[in-house]
Amino acid sequence: MSGNIQLLSDTLERAKTENRAALIAYLPAGFPTVDGGIEAVKAVFEGGADIVEVGLPHSDPVLDGPVIQTADDIALRGGVKIADVMRTVREAHEATGKPVLVMTYWNPIDRYGVERFTAELADAGGAGCILPDLPVQESAVWREHAEKHGLATVFVVAPSSKDERLATITAAGSGFVYAASLMGVTGTRESVGEQAADLVRRTRATSGLPVCVGLGVSNAVQAAEVATFADGVIVGSAFVKRMLDAADQAAGIAAVRELAGELARGVRRVS
């Protein structure tokens, strides 16, 4: 492995040696502003996140619920561009030395150019990409360029994925596997449910890649629950909601730092 995919793998491995799950946070670039978004990413790292996914705001975010859609809309109305996403990755990584991925739908990359996108992401110090809507069977060009630039390709699996399909997806992916804990869109929920544990078990049967669970985790109790069976706990909407609910940008940044601390303690809780 080369580039920051190694940093990503080392980070997940270190959490494993500490007998805990990694905490992975999600925040969209450009929200509430480009500078504010960068400070928010730094804050969640300071609070205890191991890895951050920077969202590339999209006008039709099919996997995202109303909270992230609202943040994406704010970022897009603010004029966020792919260059701002790259700047967010660069500044957050350089300030912390920690792995930063981009989570994006395929259309913006396709329009921007795969080679250009992967080269710029690698140059910014990015660890890779999570691509929730790119079918594995159509991913060869992306994977070729990602591999050339030392970037991880993280695919999403769902409870509906059959075992044969899981094997195909995990064979093509790298870095880790993103296990969606339930069918539906992102958002905070009362319970993460047994489906997630079953999906992690089935996914691990097909691959040695770490399996990280997202969709629905919003507090330390849920993080602790998921940490008992997953290699990583992914939290997005809860961070975004803290920013949306804050009185101003500074309060929002303080709030996401605090939430990261709570969740970091959650993933370290011995069950």
Side-chain angles (χ1 to χ4, degrees):
M1 283 188 286
S2 61
N4 282 321
I5 186 175
Q6 186 67 58
L7 175 63
L8 175 65
S9 297
D10 289 348
T11 299
L12 288 161
E13 183 59 34
R14 185 168 62 252
K16 186 177 179 181
T17 62
E18 293 173 4
N19 198 32
R20 66 175 178 89
L23 174 60
I24 305 173
Y26 167 93
L27 283 166
F31 168 72
T33 62
V34 175
D35 288 344
I38 292 167
E39 292 309 308
V41 173
K42 291 179 187 175
V44 297
F45 273 133
E46 290 163 6
D50 298 289
I51 298 161
V52 170
E53 305 169 5
V54 171
L56 194 161
H58 190 49
S59 56
D60 185 27
V62 292
L63 186 71
D64 296 310
V67 170
I68 291 174
Q69 284 182 19
T70 299
D72 277 4
D73 187 55
I74 290 167
L76 290 167
R77 283 192 281 115
V80 71
K81 300 285 190 290
I82 287 179
D84 300 313
V85 177
M86 298 299 179
R87 183 184 149 213
T88 302
V89 171
R90 183 186 300 278
E91 294 193 16
H93 172 65
E94 288 180 352
T96 64
K98 293 184 177 178
V100 183
L101 299 111
V102 168
M103 185 165 189
T104 179
Y105 296 96
W106 179 245
N107 183 257
I109 296 177
D110 194 37
R111 292 178 63 183
Y112 196 72
V114 178
E115 170 57 24
R116 181 184 176 196
F117 189 93
T118 51
E120 289 183 9
L121 182 55
D123 184 64
C129 245
I130 300 164
L131 301 158
D133 67 340
L134 178 64
V136 172
Q137 61 270 25
E138 296 173 22
S139 67
V141 171
W142 163 265
R143 287 187 285 124
E144 176 190 339
H145 289 287
E147 196 170 323
K148 182 170 79 171
H149 291 292
L151 299 170
T153 298
V154 179
F155 288 114
V156 178
V157 298
S160 60
S161 303
K162 303 288 189 232
D163 291 352
E164 186 180 355
R165 177 75 177 156
L166 287 175
T168 301
I169 293 170
T170 57
S174 55
F176 64 91
V177 181
Y178 186 127
S181 65
L182 44 99
M183 303 303 292
V185 297
T186 59
T188 61
R189 288 175 174 81
E190 293 299 313
S191 171
V192 179
E194 293 177 11
Q195 278 187 318
D198 180 63
L199 178 58
V200 170
R201 179 188 59 75
R202 292 194 298 116
T203 304
R204 281 189 177 141
T206 71
S207 171
L209 287 173
V211 184
C212 303
V213 170
L215 270 67
V217 180
S218 61
N219 58 50
V221 172
Q222 290 173 335
E225 177 197 349
V226 174
T228 63
F229 59 80
D231 298 297
V233 179
I234 303 169
V235 181
S237 296
F239 281 111
V240 176
K241 192 171 188 308
R242 291 278 179 113
M243 295 287 287
L244 286 168
D245 289 348
D248 55 38
Q249 184 169 292
I253 290 167
V256 295
R257 184 186 289 110
E258 181 183 32
L259 178 59
E262 293 167 12
L263 294 164
R265 289 188 290 276
V267 300
R268 287 166 173 80
R269 195 174 298 164
V270 177
S271 59

